[in-house]
Amino acid sequence: MYELRQLRRVLEEPKLFVRELNRLYYTRLNSREYNPDGVDVMAADWDNLLLLDACRYDAFAARADLPGRLEKRRSRSSMTSEFFAANFDGREMHDTVYVTATPMLYWNRNRGDVEASFHREINVWRDGGWDEEFNTVRPETAAEHAKRAAEEYPDKRLFVHFLQPHFPAIGQTGREHPELNDLRAWDAINSGRLDLPDSVLRRAFVENLDAILPHVEDLLETLGGKTVVTADHGQMIGERSFPIPFREYGHPPGIYTDELLSVPWHVHTNGQRREIVAEEPEHEPERGDETEPADMGMDNDVVADRLEDLGYKM
């Protein structure tokens, strides 16, 4: 069933009706919560996983010159919340430290949408890591937290969730077009409230990717063991979905196009593999708690505000 607010949005933006028809096609009339043919990230073999948010395979292949071997994989999801449901939900990942630049897992857990626990979660978006100029976490900030976590937890798998190349646009194009930072850009483009050529959007996207790649390379050379660089999903920049050839922007849930499901899987091994040990969590998250878990201290309204800065409608 559809909620009243969803029906109102369709009336305000009729294009959403076409998107919903395509989503029903891809999800087989809601019989699939995620793409079952995608890679199970947490079951894969790695010591460190560097996850780039909304990174298309084709863009990564064209721009990245990193040590190691690049493969193409299919993601289980077309947006981050779907990625959590497909890869985290119902799991105790007590051999893993999760370093995250996005509040999405915190938000989804408090809503009761995801049940998951790690040995430790390090919320870069809270711990002085939020950049007020661009309303995001810069890649260098997330990378520094990752290095410290690797030193502190040498016997744990390390999962580092960057925000880029996800908008806000932090490169020169973002400075020239601040609307790519101050608005929910993809929603605004889909609704016609923002009119920018696809070439500008692609340039902003590539600049975000270029901004993160040096920090990924640094971690590949710094972190010991087997490191995988991948993405939770890709990004649509004016390509057409199916079966109704509707031009899509962003990464809506349940739209399983190649641009959204094809992600990089770049593998590099540096030295000896680590001996991984699972241990009880240092800070067990409390789902649905109106106050924050002991290691957070973050008001839920602030979390919602930061997610909206990243383009998510709360």
Side-chain angles (χ1 to χ4, degrees), residues 172-210:
Q172 182 59 36
T173 303
R175 297 182 186 277
E176 295 171 358
H177 297 277
E179 60 268 32
L180 296 178
N181 304 309
D182 297 336
L183 298 176
R184 300 185 188 97
W186 303 117
D187 281 347
I189 292 164
N190 277 311
S191 68
R193 290 179 286 112
L194 177 60
D195 185 17
L196 286 175
D198 289 355
S199 59
V200 171
L201 301 173
R202 291 179 185 276
R203 186 167 69 245
F205 177 82
V206 168
E207 287 172 358
N208 267 22
L209 179 57
D210 287 347

Side-chain angles (χ1 to χ4, degrees), residues 41 50-56 75 83 229-234 263-264:
V41 165
L50 310 181
L51 187 135
L52 313 187
D53 204 308
C55 185
R56 297 164 55 125
S75 175
F83 176 86
V229 185
T230 189
D232 49 354
H233 54 80
V263 295

Side-chain angles (χ1 to χ4, degrees), residues 261-275:
L261 293 191
S262 293
V263 295
W265 191 265
H266 188 99
V267 182
H268 176 66
T269 302
N270 181 22
Q272 296 293 319
R273 298 290 302 273
R274 295 207 296 276
E275 293 290 334

